[in-house]
Amino acid sequence: MRDLRSVEDVLRMLDGWFAADAAKWDQFYADREKPIPFFVAKPDESLASWLSTGVLPKGRALDLGCGHGRNAIALAQAGFDVDAVDLSSSAIEWGKARAAEASVDVRFHQADIFTVALPHDRYDLVYDSGCLHHLPPHRRVSYRDLIDRVLEPGGHFGLVCFAAGAMGSERTDEELYRAGSLEGGLAYDQDSLRWIFSDYTEVELRPMAEQPDDAATFGKDFLLTALFRR
């Protein structure tokens, strides 16, 4: 009996070559006291800047790979109607608890971003802080299809990912498949992001600004941040 009959069958077979799964991320988020930079309860400095300057009109927002909800909560506090998706049940439980503490409404979904059942067909903002760089190369195709399907024409797509030369694997896609590992996450440079999202209009693309520990926002200079408009 042959296993492959569709493109999706091929993609799921390739998924099996890499170790990223729900159990791994549940373990990652299980200990909330770990000294991990991303565990802070504050939004990305880039997102906060776009919100404060009015670059992002209020509307529906979708947070992909939301983790414990720090950016989803900031969006809800800014007046957005927010759906937030993460594979990890531990992350989603933490996010729900934090949203309740902040007295904001966020619809959290524990699901794969590619198969999640969302309440809306389109969103004015799709935001991703740390999801894309944990996807294997073949899932960039699925990722672009997802963004194109759910982002409103004229809507914005915001991204934070590992920066080449600072953090993340810089192996070629072929080398990653030969190794069978994402090596902790993939690094992207500005040119590669411009190429992947070449049919969108670039609003801003820069290294994330490093933020001190006592700042109201999160920022690490080993990350890139980008905003595109469809």
Side-chain angles (χ1 to χ4, degrees):
M1 184 73 175
R2 297 298 182 185
D3 299 321
L4 304 180
R5 194 173 67 88
S6 68
V7 172
E8 187 59 30
D9 290 339
V10 175
L11 294 176
R12 292 196 178 281
M13 179 189 72
L14 293 173
D15 287 343
W17 291 13
F18 298 95
D21 56 26
K24 168 188 171 183
W25 291 110
D26 280 343
Q27 184 179 15
F28 179 79
Y29 284 104
D31 181 2
R32 302 179 185 181
E33 302 302 319
K34 286 186 291 191
I36 294 176
F38 305 102
F39 279 11
V40 295
K42 48 191 176 183
D44 294 333
E45 60 85 9
S46 47
L47 178 61
S49 173
W50 301 329
L51 292 173
S52 66
T53 57
V55 172
L56 299 176
K58 294 177 185 177
R60 292 173 178 166
L62 175 62
D63 187 355
L64 300 174
C66 65
H68 67 308
R70 59 190 182 84
N71 290 302
I73 290 168
L75 286 166
Q77 290 172 328
F80 282 79
D81 178 28
V82 184
D83 285 287
V85 186
D86 201 278
L87 195 61
S88 167
S89 58
S90 298
I92 293 298
E93 290 171 5
W94 191 0
K96 288 179 177 179
R98 290 199 55 245
E101 292 172 1
S103 300
V104 295
D105 292 324
V106 175
R107 288 182 297 273
F108 285 98
H109 308 266
Q110 189 272 310
D112 184 319
I113 63 169
F114 301 121
T115 59
V116 60
L118 295 169
H120 303 297
D121 293 331
R122 296 278 191 170
Y123 291 84
D124 303 288
L125 170 66
V126 177
Y127 192 71
D128 168 2
S129 183
C131 182
L132 175 64
H133 62 220
H134 288 301
L135 296 178
H138 62 278
R139 281 298 178 182
R140 280 190 220 114
V141 179
S142 308
Y143 186 88
R144 272 308 316 258
D145 287 346
L146 171 62
I147 302 299
D148 288 343
R149 176 168 55 84
V150 301
L151 185 59
E152 285 277 11
H156 289 84
F157 167 63
L159 177 69
V160 173
C161 65
F162 290 153
M167 189 170 186
S169 174
E170 297 185 46
R171 290 182 184 268
T172 66
D173 290 347
E174 180 179 353
E175 289 171 338
L176 292 170
Y177 284 101
R178 291 184 183 280
S181 172
L182 300 182
E183 301 180 336
L186 310 186
Y188 290 89
D189 60 25
Q190 295 188 27
D191 287 341
S192 62
L193 293 182
R194 290 188 176 107
W195 175 72
I196 294 169
F197 303 103
S198 59
D199 52 337
Y200 289 2
T201 299
E202 180 183 324
V203 179
E204 184 173 62
L205 178 52
R206 60 172 174 81
M208 179 173 266
E210 184 79 24
Q211 301 293 294
D213 291 342
D214 59 354
T217 58
F218 167 84
K220 294 295 180 182
D221 59 8
F222 57 75
L223 299 168
L224 281 181
T225 183
L227 183 65
F228 297 93
R229 184 174 62 253
R230 184 177 187 185

